[in-house]
Amino acid sequence: MVERKPTVEELLKKAEKPSKLAVPYHQFYEGKVQVMPKCAIRTLDDFSIWYTPGVAAACKEIKADPDKSFFLTNRWNYVAVVSDGTRVLGLGNIGPEAGLPVMEGKALLFKYLGGVDAFPLVVRAHDPDDMIKLLEWVEPNFGGVNLEDIEKPKCYYVLEEARKRLQIPVWHDDQQGTATVTYAGLVNAFKLVGKKMKDSKIVLYGAGAANVRTAIVLITAGVPPGNIVMIDTAGVLYRDRPDIEEMKKEDKWKYDLAMKTNKENNKTIEEAFKGADAVVGASKPGPGVIKQEWIKLMNKDPIVFACANPIPEIWPWEAKEAGAKIVATGRSDFPNQVNNSLAFPAIFRGVLDVRAKTVTDEMCIAAGDALAKFAEEKGLREDYILPTMDDWEVYPIEAVAAAEQSIKQGVARRILSREELYERAVNIIRNARESARFLMEKGLISSPPPEEDVLRSYGP
């Protein structure tokens, strides 16, 4: 029996459902995260320990050694989710206030999936140097910073400079998170088609934050730069492209990749796809953005990642019809979802547990390898190259990989064994999930209005 393909109308209707529920549910809960005590409050007398006069003793310890703030306060587990709202979820520059629901949602994912206490921090710092200065000012509060939804090329500069100036991990999820999961997916996809990633030609369709960092991570992982071909809105990146000097002034990160990638000096999209083994789309919503005729130019058993949301650059069945062996998208209703939520909660869990001073691309690769291995041990298939968010067991494994890489690179303030790291990560993540479940069971988190009632208000 041939499985019926969903129609475009059915897929769009399915994609619209969360949007219809979002505003009423956000209004019902008046936000998605809150602050809860984690210390025992047996009687009000305990406040003399947690606050004045007892707290002064902890303050004096930290005054003598500021690094003790990572051990005597919850700073070690605090992450700031920072955005200026200039490039929010494909909505573009909608401003900090409009971006706040996204940052709060990110904080919710941090807590539920990684046991991380994350705080949304939207800012009006439009100048990149102002944003970096702000991060320096608030650094004493946090164990890490997650940059989110910042326009390019500002996002590259802020990440690069903040990583130099701050002594805590600074991460840009649109760059490093996407790159980590994409890398993991490619590792397993290449295994399934029987090819070596380091010997393959890889096309990165889109040259924004996601694919720029994906290129950097792939190169760091050993893929020769010349084997990568990048495509932006103006076409293929190559060394003597007419706008190369303008690119050098406006986006030095993309310029650098234009100079080191594309060893064959492909100049057209058709040339780029010809003989390619994989394409990673991180561009604009489709369908019809990546064309079937281009996939037909690729090598045998091509790999197609079409990760634009809400509609991939090409529908999965269209990619398959064109010859694709393995297809991944950014959507949860298709197999092989490339989902940042597989990366950032676990990686931060790991680097926070060792009080790391930074987060590196090598840590992303270590976490990506752990992701890939987890899926491989469960059994790779053409429709299963990555774990899903239901595979919660992967998060502590990934956390350990990131933590061990932190120790290996000499940036950890705390050295723990693999067994200690794993047990710690499992306990913290399980506690976060079970706490949420307990609060719902006890009615301390109310059940939302029935979906049917909310959707009925929109009419047929």
Side-chain angles (χ1 to χ4, degrees), residues 369-391:
D369 286 334
L371 267 176
K373 184 179 180 182
F374 182 92
E376 183 179 16
E377 289 177 348
K378 286 196 71 173
L380 294 181
R381 306 184 306 271
E382 290 178 15
D383 62 352
Y384 183 79
I385 60 172
L386 284 166
T388 69
M389 287 170 64
D390 288 331
D391 296 320

Side-chain angles (χ1 to χ4, degrees), residues 34 39 91 99 106 137 158 188 246 253 276 281 289 298 302 307-308 326 366 372 387 457:
Q34 64 180 346
C39 62
L91 298 173
K106 199 81 174 189
W137 286 343
V158 172
N188 282 343
E246 182 181 349
W253 296 269
V289 176
M298 297 174 70
C307 298
I326 296 172
S457 66

